[in-house]
Amino acid sequence: MRRDLRLALLLLLSAALESNSMSPPGKPVLLGCRSPEKETFTCWWEPGPDGGLPTTHRLYYERERLEGIHECPDYQSAGKNSCFFDKNHTSIWVDYFLTVVAFNDLGNATSDPLKMDVMEIVKPDPPENVTLLVKDIEDSPHLHVGWQRPQNTDTESGWVTIKYKLRVKQENNKKWKEYMSGTQTHFSLYSVSPGVEYSVQVRCRLDHGFWSEWSNTSHVKIPDYLQDKRPFGILVSTLCVITFIATMCILVMKRKYLKKCFLPPVPGPKITGVDFTLLKSGPTEDAINSLNQNFPLMVAWKDQMEDYLIVTENDIGLEPHPFISQKRKNRSMFSSSGFCFHSEIQSQDSRLSLNEQEKAGKRNHEIQQFVKSNKSLSGTSLSNIEQTQQCSHKQQGTIINFGITEATQQSRSHHDNTVKPLTDSGYVDIRRHEENTEEVDVKTLQYSRVKEMNSDNTLILEKENVSRPGYMDVQRQENTEGYSRVKEVEGDSMIIVQKQILSSDTYYKETGLTGFSKVGVCAELDSGYVDTIPVTHLM
Amino acid sequence: MANRKNKAGKLFMSGSTLLYMAAVCSAVPVGDLLDRASQGSDTLHSLSTILSHELQDSHFPPIGRVIMPRPSMCHTSSLQTPNDKEQALQVSESDLLSLARSLLKAWKDPLVVLSNSANDLPHPAHNSISNKIQQLQEHSKSLGDGLDILSGKMGPGAQSISFLPYRGGNDIGQDKITKLTNFHFLLSCFRRDSHKIDSFLKVLRCRAANMC
């Protein structure tokens, strides 16, 4: 008896001990259900405390328009504590009443029922294969987002209509911007900035059900199209800079030419017959003295209407120079300094004063020099017929007439006797015409020096047959007033002079080729004149 | 003679006018009509969903977890409709249209009852609810007219409509709980039926017009 009682007590104690750690399972909780495509659905529950014993859970459901209580067809496919209803077990527009029962050895527990309609639990899977493309990088870059519908949805039959939504975020920004896409599986984003990275996510929903989860984030960086154009821009700007620098260099180097071209020099005043270069050297004392001294002379010169000796070089032809035929009073003064000028005594000529002063000054100077250098000449009155080198190129209209003609047979010159009315001031007028127009240089002319003059009408010419211009000295009698016309020139050193006063009975003849020659008097009238000038005028 | 001629002329004119109008009406393709109709049904269902959520969230505990006392089945539950995709795809186009038209017509009277009850509904958002009920009525009417036109183009089967009378009467309850419960129940039935109509029309749109 006691043994049985003790055994019973022990058993009871053990049973009591064991029953303290074990209990029937707790009440499970149905979490919810979800249908991804309106064709199947899955339900999940959460088990309660298991009571220390292995517990199993079972889901039972009742359905509208279906008799009986049915158990979950599939506990495995959807994972632990879930029930998957396949297409055969899924009906729409009918109510389901679900319960989950937990079983263990000690008991069971039933969850609260859940009423649901498939129509209310539709939540699709997120869209798949989200692709990002940057298009039209050169013109207007935009981001093209493309995706695919969830694979288990059936849109071809129209059973489901999927609408999409995407959201975009810039890399630095935390705020998403959402865009509705409707039923299209692509979307173009035009407000993209180059050089920025964008993140894109897409989600969808069926009819008016729940939105799916966001798809995996896709990233893309918009290329900086300015960089593509940057080398081009650098090239263009470099070329422009180089061109500009080259242009500036050319302008600087050619500035003188440009100055000449755009700012031509203003021509200074120009007076015919006056050489400013000579003036620039500054007037010498002699010149100043001569200027001062010759003033009265000039006045006297003007009065002498007919006292002049014209030595002209006429390379135009046999015609008389036009301004001589116009009966101007021309005076040609010669000096040994190589200065030849042709003074025009005109009442209207305003240049006269300066010319006369200059020439008078020079002339006086030269005459004095000549007086010193020619000792052989005894005559006090000297009339110098000299021709200078500068005659020809000094004045363009210069006419150098030799009153004394020479009958030279030189090839280059053709002499002609021209008659010119001369005063009896003692000049010898030799007119020589140069047919050879090239030869303007007076250097080729021949000069004859008048050595002495015989009593009345004898002219001794000292001919120096030199190519260099020499001079012709005409030595005259002091009081001789009259013309002596040169009839002809014979040979190199023969001048036939005809004196008019003597009524053409006498002429001067010069004989001899070289050296001195004596001049004879010929008695012909109609030749050139030899004019005599009183020396007092020169002094 | 002149009278006869006048009468004949008038008959001729009226006949030609009718023919012309028929021609013009048939000129609109079925696909465009279906597309327009499915847009309308989509709006209808969206409105009803929003309305039921508005009613639920503020006042009631989540319906899914508590079995509401179900007074009866929906008055349109007697109508045999497909319950899954395979069944729905097997139904002919004209039958689908007929079902949609029947369902829509069945809600003409109950919507009036809902509209009347919404004003007195003991709910904080009863004004917004009443406004949405009115919108539901308008959309329902326009969709019904559109489906009537469609039925003329889809064959004789589309013309038949099942009669589904509403027998709940104007009174939805006396006390607050009953009112709200009945209101909610009616609304849930309408939400289901609007979803059916929407689904059928979208299937029709895909199949008949190849717009998928």
Side-chain angles (χ1 to χ4, degrees):
Chain A
M1 276 299 281
R2 281 189 183 174
R3 275 189 185 175
D4 294 328
L5 281 169
R6 283 180 188 172
L7 280 169
L9 277 169
L10 279 171
L11 281 167
L12 278 168
L13 278 170
S14 63
L17 283 169
E18 283 177 1
S19 65
N20 281 338
S21 60
M22 286 184 287
S23 66
K27 191 173 160 182
V29 177
L30 270 169
L31 297 172
C33 305
R34 175 179 163 253
S35 170
E37 76 286 74
K38 238 161 71 169
E39 297 173 44
T40 65
F41 70 99
T42 309
C43 292
W44 293 271
W45 66 84
E46 187 177 342
D50 58 356
L53 291 166
T55 52
T56 58
H57 293 84
R58 297 211 177 121
L59 186 140
Y60 299 100
Y61 69 92
E62 288 178 85
R63 200 200 80 182
E64 190 178 343
R65 296 188 190 195
L66 192 64
E67 296 295 328
I69 298 177
H70 307 272
E71 193 178 347
C72 171
D74 187 346
Y75 288 104
Q76 312 297 329
S77 301
K80 201 177 177 185
N81 297 330
S82 69
C83 179
F84 175 74
F85 292 81
D86 60 358
K87 290 185 186 181
N88 297 329
H89 295 87
T90 305
S91 297
I92 192 168
W93 303 311
V94 286
D95 289 330
Y96 280 81
F97 300 91
L98 305 166
T99 53
V100 176
V101 180
F103 293 96
N104 69 1
D105 293 336
L106 294 177
N108 54 23
T110 306
S111 66
D112 291 332
L114 178 66
K115 182 180 87 122
M116 52 136 288
D117 190 340
V118 174
M119 152 186 105
E120 299 165 342
I121 57 165
V122 178
K123 182 179 176 182
D125 293 329
E128 298 172 358
N129 288 343
V130 179
T131 58
L132 297 175
L133 274 174
V134 185
K135 290 191 174 180
D136 268 347
I137 296 172
E138 298 85 19
D139 294 332
S140 61
H142 65 271
L143 184 61
H144 182 268
V145 188
W147 58 85
Q148 290 175 353
R149 62 169 175 84
Q151 279 197 352
N152 48 12
T153 55
D154 179 15
T155 52
E156 288 179 19
S157 63
W159 182 240
V160 293
T161 307
I162 310 177
K163 287 186 181 172
Y164 301 95
K165 181 159 74 175
L166 73 155
R167 67 178 184 180
V168 182
K169 185 180 74 142
Q170 294 189 11
E171 57 182 325
N172 299 326
N173 214 350
K174 283 189 179 179
K175 217 174 176 185
W176 290 93
K177 200 166 181 189
E178 292 189 349
Y179 302 92
M180 289 297 297
S181 172
T183 57
Q184 287 179 337
T185 56
H186 58 89
F187 191 79
S188 290
L189 212 67
Y190 286 93
S191 58
V192 286
S193 313
V196 180
E197 184 172 338
Y198 286 91
S199 306
V200 178
Q201 285 182 325
V202 192
R203 68 176 183 183
C204 59
R205 80 167 172 183
L206 302 181
D207 301 332
H208 291 279
F210 296 101
W211 284 103
S212 70
E213 297 296 327
W214 288 106
S215 64
N216 292 332
T217 309
S218 298
H219 306 277
V220 75
K221 183 167 182 181
I222 312 293
D224 196 357
Y225 60 89
L226 281 176
Q227 278 181 351
D228 294 339
K229 290 185 181 174
R230 202 168 284 173
F232 177 72
I234 287 170
L235 185 70
V236 168
S237 58
T238 309
L239 281 172
C240 286
V241 166
I242 288 170
T243 309
F244 177 72
I245 289 171
T247 311
M248 291 308 294
C249 285
I250 288 168
L251 284 174
V252 167
M253 286 197 309
K254 298 276 178 189
R255 64 178 180 277
K256 285 185 185 168
Y257 172 73
L258 286 172
K259 226 178 180 179
K260 192 172 144 193
C261 195
F262 289 108
L263 304 168
V266 178
K270 202 170 188 178
I271 303 171
T272 317
V274 176
D275 188 5
F276 277 95
T277 55
L278 291 173
L279 282 179
K280 276 177 192 173
S281 59
T284 58
E285 286 188 4
D286 293 334
I288 294 168
N289 293 335
S290 63
L291 276 171
N292 293 333
Q293 287 178 8
N294 273 318
F295 274 113
L297 273 177
M298 297 314 301
V299 176
W301 270 74
K302 283 181 184 175
D303 295 336
Q304 295 282 337
M305 299 295 286
E306 295 179 329
D307 295 340
Y308 63 99
L309 171 70
I310 297 175
V311 179
T312 59
E313 174 191 350
N314 195 351
D315 54 354
I316 300 169
L318 302 178
E319 300 168 350
H321 199 272
F323 70 82
I324 291 174
S325 63
Q326 289 172 9
K327 294 184 182 179
R328 290 181 190 173
K329 294 131 194 158
N330 300 325
R331 294 198 178 196
S332 302
M333 300 303 295
F334 307 97
S335 63
S336 61
S337 66
F339 187 86
C340 174
F341 55 87
H342 194 156
S343 63
E344 292 185 355
I345 302 172
Q346 288 180 352
S347 56
Q348 302 95 337
D349 197 349
S350 61
R351 305 171 297 168
L352 185 61
S353 60
L354 182 61
N355 274 349
E356 296 278 353
Q357 286 172 16
E358 265 192 340
K359 293 167 186 175
K362 292 280 182 179
R363 178 174 63 240
N364 199 14
H365 176 69
E366 299 305 332
I367 287 168
Q368 286 172 358
Q369 280 186 347
F370 179 74
V371 169
K372 292 170 192 173
S373 62
N374 291 304
K375 296 177 183 176
S376 61
L377 295 171
S378 61
T380 55
S381 63
L382 293 172
S383 57
N384 299 329
I385 305 172
E386 288 180 351
Q387 200 158 7
T388 62
Q389 302 175 10
Q390 299 177 1
C391 281
S392 60
H393 60 266
K394 190 67 181 173
Q395 297 169 7
Q396 292 178 357
T398 304
I399 293 181
I400 305 163
N401 290 324
F402 275 102
I404 303 172
T405 61
E406 296 181 6
T408 57
Q409 296 299 325
Q410 291 184 4
S411 61
R412 277 191 283 180
S413 62
H414 171 75
H415 309 292
D416 191 11
N417 298 331
T418 55
V419 179
K420 282 177 58 179
L422 296 173
T423 61
D424 52 5
S425 59
Y427 281 88
V428 174
D429 186 9
I430 299 174
R431 194 163 197 170
R432 175 175 288 180
H433 299 277
E434 288 281 347
E435 282 191 354
N436 194 358
T437 55
E438 294 175 4
E439 201 59 44
V440 184
D441 197 352
V442 180
K443 295 178 187 178
T444 58
L445 294 175
Q446 300 276 330
Y447 295 92
S448 305
R449 178 185 287 181
V450 177
K451 185 178 176 185
E452 61 177 310
M453 198 168 184
N454 285 343
S455 58
D456 274 332
N457 299 322
T458 307
L459 207 59
I460 300 170
L461 292 177
E462 177 184 12
K463 185 73 187 280
E464 291 179 4
N465 213 7
V466 292
S467 63
R468 286 282 157 256
Y471 49 83
M472 174 177 287
D473 303 329
V474 177
Q475 192 174 10
R476 293 217 171 237
Q477 277 187 347
E478 194 170 358
N479 294 323
T480 306
E481 298 250 343
Y483 292 96
S484 304
R485 183 186 282 179
V486 175
K487 184 179 178 187
E488 60 182 45
V489 176
E490 295 179 5
D492 248 343
S493 57
M494 174 90 71
I495 296 174
I496 302 170
V497 177
Q498 188 178 27
K499 190 154 188 186
Q500 188 179 13
I501 299 174
L502 299 178
S503 67
S504 74
D505 279 339
T506 58
Y507 63 95
Y508 295 100
K509 185 172 183 181
E510 181 179 319
T511 57
L513 291 174
T514 58
F516 306 127
S517 57
K518 291 192 177 180
V519 180
V521 177
C522 305
E524 290 190 13
L525 288 170
D526 52 349
S527 291
Y529 289 95
V530 175
D531 194 9
T532 58
I533 282 185
V535 181
T536 53
H537 289 264
L538 296 174
M539 300 302 284
Chain B
M1 278 295 284
N3 286 337
R4 279 186 192 171
K5 279 189 179 177
N6 284 338
K7 282 181 183 175
K10 282 179 186 173
L11 274 171
F12 179 73
M13 285 301 296
S14 59
S16 63
T17 309
L18 281 169
L19 275 173
Y20 173 73
M21 285 182 69
V24 166
C25 285
S26 65
V28 181
V30 171
D32 293 344
L33 287 171
L34 278 169
D35 190 34
R36 183 75 188 95
S38 63
Q39 286 176 23
S41 65
D42 188 85
T43 311
L44 202 65
H45 177 61
S46 164
L47 267 172
S48 66
T49 306
I50 294 166
L51 193 53
S52 64
H53 286 154
E54 193 170 340
L55 193 66
Q56 253 171 244
D57 295 339
S58 58
H59 213 79
F60 284 107
I63 299 294
R65 303 196 181 269
V66 175
I67 298 177
M68 290 290 292
R70 216 170 175 63
S72 61
M73 307 205 16
C74 293
H75 69 284
T76 56
S77 59
S78 61
L79 191 64
Q80 290 290 325
T81 57
N83 284 333
D84 57 21
K85 187 178 98 171
E86 284 77 18
Q87 291 179 17
L89 293 180
Q90 286 169 5
V91 179
S92 69
E93 293 150 13
S94 55
D95 289 340
L96 277 173
L97 186 62
S98 170
L99 287 170
R101 287 180 70 207
S102 306
L103 284 168
L104 197 60
K105 220 167 193 68
W107 279 98
K108 187 178 173 188
D109 292 334
L111 276 174
V112 174
V113 171
L114 278 171
S115 173
N116 294 336
S117 309
N119 296 327
D120 304 327
L121 200 67
H123 195 275
H126 67 275
N127 284 329
S128 164
I129 290 166
S130 173
N131 193 22
K132 285 188 174 63
I133 297 286
Q134 280 184 345
Q135 291 179 28
L136 278 175
Q137 282 180 293
E138 289 166 7
H139 281 93
S140 177
K141 171 116 185 11
S142 66
L143 183 62
D145 295 340
L147 289 181
D148 288 341
I149 292 171
L150 256 177
S151 65
K153 301 173 184 293
M154 309 232 0
Q159 303 288 345
S160 64
I161 301 177
S162 302
F163 180 61
L164 305 161
Y166 175 66
R167 302 184 195 284
N170 285 330
D171 188 15
I172 61 168
Q174 299 300 323
D175 58 315
K176 179 182 171 181
I177 303 293
T178 315
K179 277 185 180 179
L180 286 169
T181 308
N182 288 340
F183 196 91
H184 183 265
F185 172 70
L186 265 176
L187 210 54
S188 68
C189 286
F190 180 76
R191 188 174 158 217
R192 176 183 286 180
D193 288 340
S194 66
H195 193 250
K196 281 183 185 178
I197 295 165
D198 188 40
S199 297
F200 297 158
L201 289 176
K202 281 175 180 170
V203 168
L204 271 176
R205 179 177 68 174
C206 254
R207 206 195 300 176
N210 265 345
M211 292 177 69
C212 294

